[in-house]
Amino acid sequence: MTQEPVCSRTVIINLKSGLHLRPISQIAETARRFNGDVWIRKADSKVDAKSVLDLMTLNAQFGTSVTLEAAGDGAAELIEELSQLVERNFDVDNS
């Protein structure tokens, strides 16, 4: 049995209001298009990135470091897409 590749990348949440419902929904929507497993890790917490409710429990405020993780075919592409979403501040006006 071969293990599926796991990709990860650490990013910083730069939204002044932190991860709230709109960016959380964007993360979950993007993650759901992926057939494999997707998680977001913050300190000792690891949640399912496809679940809005799980993501809300992270309480990721401005400046929080989170690690995006995915396993399965296309994991690297998904991590890149999620990373870009975070880097663009979820296309939210951050003023």
Side-chain angles (χ1 to χ4, degrees), residues 46-85:
K46 181 177 177 179
V47 300
D48 181 354
K50 295 180 181 183
S51 168
V52 170
L53 290 176
D54 282 5
L55 289 167
M56 290 178 76
T57 67
L58 278 180
N59 193 27
Q61 301 300 319
F62 175 80
T64 299
S65 174
V66 297
T67 302
L68 311 170
E69 300 177 348
D73 290 336
E77 292 83 1
L78 175 68
I79 293 301
E80 179 64 27
E81 188 174 348
L82 289 171
S83 297
Q84 299 249 340
L85 194 59

Side-chain angles (χ1 to χ4, degrees), residues 7-11 39-42 65-69 79:
C7 294
S8 68
R9 184 176 304 169
T10 299
V11 295
W39 309 275
I40 296 185
R41 183 185 303 271
K42 176 188 144 194
S65 174
V66 297
T67 302
L68 311 170
E69 300 177 348
I79 293 301

